[in-house]
Amino acid sequence: MSLHRRPLLQAALAAPAFLSAASRRAMAQDPRRLLRSVPIGDLRALDPIWTTTYLTRNHAYLVWDTLFALDAENRPQPQMVEAWETSGDGLTWSFRLREGLLWHDDTPVTGADCAASIRRWGARDGMGRALMAVTEALDAPDARTIRLKLKRPVGFVLDALGKIDSNVPFMMPERLARTDPTQQIAEVIGSGPFRFDRSAWVPGIKVVYDRFARYVPRSEPPSQAAGGKLAKLDRIESVYTPDSATAANGLITGELDLLESPAPDLVQHLQRARDVVVASNDPLGYQLFVVFNHLHPPFDKVAARRALMSVIRQSDFMQATVGDRSPSRECAAVFGCAAGEDAQFDALGWPRQDLATAQRQFRDSGYDGRPVVVMDPADNATLHPGALLLADALRRLGANLDLVAMDWSALVSRRASRAAPAAGGWNCFVTNATITGISNPLLNTFVRNCEDAWFGWPCDRRVPELTEAWTFESDPAKRQEILKRLERVHLENATQVPLGQYRSAIAHRRNLRGLISAPALFYWNIEKA
């Protein structure tokens, strides 16, 4: 299939006026005080507990803080916590908050705030739910202490509280943390290094963050999400720029400072620019995958899902997503493949059949010719090519396609709909997740099943049973055996379709210093020379 590629000539157009009058005045005083970045989409959901989208997660890391955080070795380190202790039987954990922590409304952070935040996160996140399932009590004995009492000892308490990927256990004021987990919070009040400026937020145009002068960073050097979060910028403007060529040109001319997700077909053009750096920001990278709606035809039938799997060629999706400009590889495992590990197609039972057989299987599954709704995030340069290839694969199967173009934020909203596809719902879409965030059954939100299922709502009772067995198995060899059984179950039932792994890139002006390599985009420690 021939994919439409944006002409590079567009990048030579004159740069638009990204900056407001206030921004230009700030730059006239000191250009190092303001950073202008282009996010991966239009920020509409502000609550990182309510949604798993990385757009909201990146926003949240600016505003909120965490009790623990993963360092560059993916080890949990204290962040808001000063000290902690565990009882001899491993059932009681006590955490002491650092002194001087303040919310952005200048009120002190308390243990009660954090206990309420853990409960709300624990109602939404897979690892949080696992922790809450073994929690007997969670309270705050005093203003700076959080106490967790377990029903049985588990080894993932710090890993859970230090979780780096969606849903991240961000701490919020108690009044916000008491919000129903199925509803979004009404305010954005954090205790992180930057403060969300709601008065300057223009949906569809820009989001503004100001340095929180009373934030007290840790003394350790920054290491991934851990260590000192030192805000070296006074103001960050996140400028939504759906046209990738316009964004690339803004970076080249200096109107912009950073692109969180440059269009893959413009990467070589950016690499040739004198004052631009293109580099991978995530040491492990991403998995691309297809999400099915298991509630509605045709993908309520496993035969239809596996028929589509059999005509998928991961190499095509990787070529369309990153081409030859970034490292990529094939991998059949929903929990990702480690470096040096084979792709596992045969070991996990990936269906392999010719097109005619796949077409017959698709028809025999009960497909009746109704339109198959594929959501296409046309403003997302990484996911858009995959959506086009997915549509092409379905056409080859004989499906009647309804390829619906929308922006990424609209897709994030629509994916929550359980309505029939013809009534505003959907059948499938392509998305991605960090390898860090999918590497085990507790972390991987996207393959949860039954009562805990993510969007798509798959339900194979073997999945929660094996997940629970893996969670509480202490023998490493037996744990690995359970994980492989779980991998096979996911492919047998076609929970989703892995499309390959790749390393993403960010692009920034050469005068930026201190960017931190991580699965998320962090804005602390960045300075402009």
Side-chain angles (χ1 to χ4, degrees):
M1 177 176 124
S2 175
L3 294 177
H4 172 71
R5 291 294 182 182
R6 196 176 290 102
L8 291 179
L9 181 61
Q10 291 184 40
L13 297 174
F18 285 104
L19 304 185
S20 65
S23 298
R24 291 182 183 278
R25 286 195 297 272
M27 288 190 67
Q29 296 169 3
D30 187 347
R32 294 171 298 178
R33 293 170 53 188
L34 173 67
L35 183 143
R36 298 138 297 151
S37 66
V38 175
I40 58 179
D42 176 22
L43 181 69
R44 296 182 191 174
L46 301 177
D47 184 348
I49 307 303
W50 180 79
T51 182
T52 57
T53 178
Y54 290 161
L55 179 61
T56 303
R57 177 207 60 186
N58 289 353
H59 147 79
Y61 267 117
L62 283 154
V63 176
W64 285 285
D65 215 339
T66 57
L67 296 177
F68 287 81
L70 296 188
D71 66 13
E73 303 300 322
N74 284 322
R75 298 170 304 195
Q77 302 292 349
Q79 186 58 35
M80 295 171 74
V81 166
E82 176 182 270
W84 73 99
E85 60 183 11
T86 313
S87 61
D89 58 8
L91 294 177
T92 301
W93 293 69
S94 182
F95 306 97
R96 184 75 170 166
L97 293 172
R98 288 195 288 134
E99 193 170 3
L101 299 180
L102 292 174
W103 298 115
H104 293 160
D105 59 7
D106 292 324
T107 59
V109 175
T110 68
D113 294 322
C114 298
S117 296
I118 294 170
R119 288 192 197 95
R120 185 168 188 264
W121 161 76
R124 296 286 290 185
D125 179 72
M127 187 170 262
R129 289 186 183 189
L131 181 60
M132 290 298 100
V134 295
T135 295
E136 180 178 296
L138 177 60
D139 60 11
D142 61 55
R144 287 178 55 200
T145 303
I146 309 128
R147 183 171 56 195
L148 175 69
K149 290 186 177 181
L150 303 176
K151 301 173 186 176
R152 59 188 291 188
V154 294
F156 59 87
V157 172
L158 299 187
D159 294 298
L161 297 179
K163 190 172 184 279
I164 196 172
D165 215 342
S166 299
N167 298 94
V168 178
F170 292 110
M171 297 297 104
M172 300 181 178
E174 184 177 11
R175 69 179 186 279
L176 301 184
R178 288 189 176 277
T179 303
D180 185 328
T182 65
Q183 304 296 321
Q184 289 204 61
I185 56 175
E187 298 177 82
V188 178
I189 302 293
S191 66
F194 293 91
R195 190 199 312 249
F196 173 68
D197 186 349
R198 193 167 199 127
S199 66
W201 177 37
V202 185
I205 298 178
K206 69 175 180 179
V207 189
V208 176
Y209 306 89
D210 296 313
R211 183 174 65 88
F212 181 42
R214 301 187 69 185
Y215 177 77
V216 181
R218 295 189 68 89
S219 60
E220 302 92 341
S223 178
Q224 198 165 246
K229 298 181 178 181
L230 188 60
K232 299 180 179 180
L233 301 160
D234 284 348
R235 189 176 180 88
I236 295 167
E237 290 190 358
S238 181
V239 185
Y240 177 52
T241 312
D243 185 85
S244 299
T246 301
N249 193 50
L251 185 68
I252 291 169
T253 60
E255 283 276 297
L256 295 166
D257 298 297
L258 187 151
L259 309 185
E260 291 188 0
S261 184
D265 57 344
L266 294 177
V267 163
Q268 288 182 325
H269 184 65
L270 289 169
Q271 287 173 329
R272 291 194 293 268
R274 177 179 176 181
D275 294 319
V276 171
V277 174
V278 180
S280 176
N281 194 57
D282 183 352
L284 296 181
Y286 287 76
Q287 180 189 78
L288 194 74
F289 56 95
V290 176
V291 179
F292 291 120
N293 188 328
H294 291 242
L295 301 181
H296 299 288
F299 298 125
D300 58 335
K301 302 294 192 300
V302 65
R305 300 194 297 271
R306 285 179 63 83
L308 179 60
M309 286 180 71
S310 69
V311 300
I312 291 291
R313 298 293 178 265
Q314 289 191 352
S315 57
D316 293 341
F317 282 85
M318 290 297 93
Q319 182 65 31
T321 301
V322 295
D324 301 321
R325 296 171 291 278
S326 298
S328 65
R329 60 165 299 181
E330 297 187 29
C331 175
V334 299
F335 300 120
C337 294
E341 191 174 23
D342 66 38
Q344 306 182 60
F345 286 99
D346 294 332
L348 296 178
W350 187 283
R352 297 182 186 273
Q353 53 194 5
D354 59 58
L355 179 59
T357 303
Q359 289 172 333
R360 184 168 59 253
Q361 180 179 344
F362 190 62
R363 290 194 304 271
D364 292 348
S365 73
Y367 178 61
D368 58 6
R370 72 184 67 191
V372 175
V373 176
V374 178
M375 296 193 291
D376 172 19
D379 67 336
N380 189 308
T382 300
L383 302 180
H384 173 59
L388 299 183
L389 279 176
L390 174 61
D392 182 65
L394 284 162
R395 289 190 187 98
R396 286 188 283 116
L397 273 183
N400 178 16
L401 250 292
D402 183 7
L403 182 64
V404 182
M406 61 187 71
D407 61 52
W408 173 243
S409 292
L411 188 153
V412 168
S413 176
R414 186 164 173 173
R415 72 186 183 184
S417 173
R418 292 175 180 254
W426 55 277
N427 288 114
C428 54
F429 64 93
V430 171
T431 190
N432 59 0
T434 68
I435 300 301
T436 301
I438 64 168
S439 59
N440 71 50
L442 290 185
L443 289 172
N444 195 330
T445 297
F446 311 99
V447 293
R448 297 202 309 246
N449 265 237
C450 302
E451 291 78 14
D452 292 339
W454 193 67
F455 307 113
W457 308 283
C459 187
D460 184 321
R461 289 292 171 187
R462 295 175 295 174
V463 172
E465 291 171 4
L466 287 168
T467 298
E468 183 175 8
W470 181 90
T471 299
F472 297 111
E473 178 56 64
S474 58
D475 184 298
K478 291 181 179 178
R479 222 179 192 211
Q480 187 63 20
E481 181 182 331
I482 295 170
L483 187 67
K484 289 304 178 185
R485 286 171 57 197
L486 193 51
E487 289 272 23
R488 285 190 64 88
V489 165
H490 279 302
L491 262 69
E492 286 172 10
N493 194 46
T495 300
Q496 61 183 39
V497 183
L499 299 174
Q501 296 179 190
Y502 65 96
R503 295 281 298 277
S504 62
I506 61 171
H508 61 84
R509 298 288 295 177
R510 195 172 296 278
N511 66 335
L512 291 193
R513 303 284 187 270
L515 280 85
I516 297 171
S517 180
L521 209 297
F522 302 141
Y523 282 87
W524 57 84
N525 201 52
I526 297 178
E527 57 186 330
K528 294 173 70 173

